[in-house]
Amino acid sequence: MREEAQVQEELIEVVLRVVEAIPSGRAATYGMIARAVGTGPRVVGRIMHDWGGGVPWWRVVSVHGTFPTTVRGEGVAEWRREGIPHDLAAGKLLLDACVVDQLWLDGVAQEVRDNLRNDAELSE
């Protein structure tokens, strides 16, 4: 059970660090992050809901470029602040104009995992 909890904690940490790495003015979808870290989009959504308040959560959207309705207003304000291309009337990002590259995201996720493992080995 303890090993399972460690895996869960590592997944949460990887997702949050990957989100932190998304540059200002750019975005990724839940599915893209899920592919990069090896889980499902709903898991990424749950992690963002429960632990994502301290990272730039507004840079992570659905495949349609939208947020859950509970955070939509706050997210749009952040898009404006960062100059992220969006359609205000539709309440969604213009993903073609701002989405990060999947290969880049995969590389970030791998680097985060490697750093976490190196940190864990150093602390042992």
Side-chain angles (χ1 to χ4, degrees):
M1 192 67 142
R2 179 159 165 74
E3 190 173 303
E4 185 178 315
Q6 285 177 320
V7 169
Q8 176 73 6
E9 287 176 21
E10 181 179 307
L11 178 61
I12 292 166
E13 189 67 25
V14 170
V15 167
L16 296 178
R17 288 188 187 193
V18 166
V19 171
E20 286 178 326
I22 299 169
S24 179
R26 303 295 301 274
T29 67
Y30 295 108
M32 291 174 71
I33 293 171
R35 278 190 296 280
V37 303
T39 192
R42 289 179 188 258
V43 173
V44 172
R46 175 50 59 189
I47 290 170
M48 293 302 295
H49 176 270
D50 292 346
W51 294 282
V55 299
W57 54 267
W58 55 89
R59 296 179 191 155
V60 183
V61 294
S62 75
V63 70
H64 305 291
T66 60
F67 293 121
T69 55
T70 55
V71 296
R72 193 162 287 151
E74 294 173 59
V76 171
E78 293 294 340
W79 292 345
R80 280 193 198 125
R81 187 180 63 73
E82 287 192 13
I84 300 175
H86 62 281
D87 177 340
L88 185 58
K92 67 179 193 171
L93 283 183
L94 301 176
L95 284 172
D96 289 344
C98 63
V99 74
V100 296
D101 180 72
Q102 183 69 54
L103 289 176
W104 175 83
L105 205 58
D106 295 347
V108 168
Q110 187 58 54
E111 184 177 334
V112 166
R113 266 196 219 91
D114 291 346
N115 289 341
L116 285 174
R117 288 188 183 120
N118 289 339
D119 290 348
E121 288 172 9
L122 289 174
S123 68
E124 290 178 355

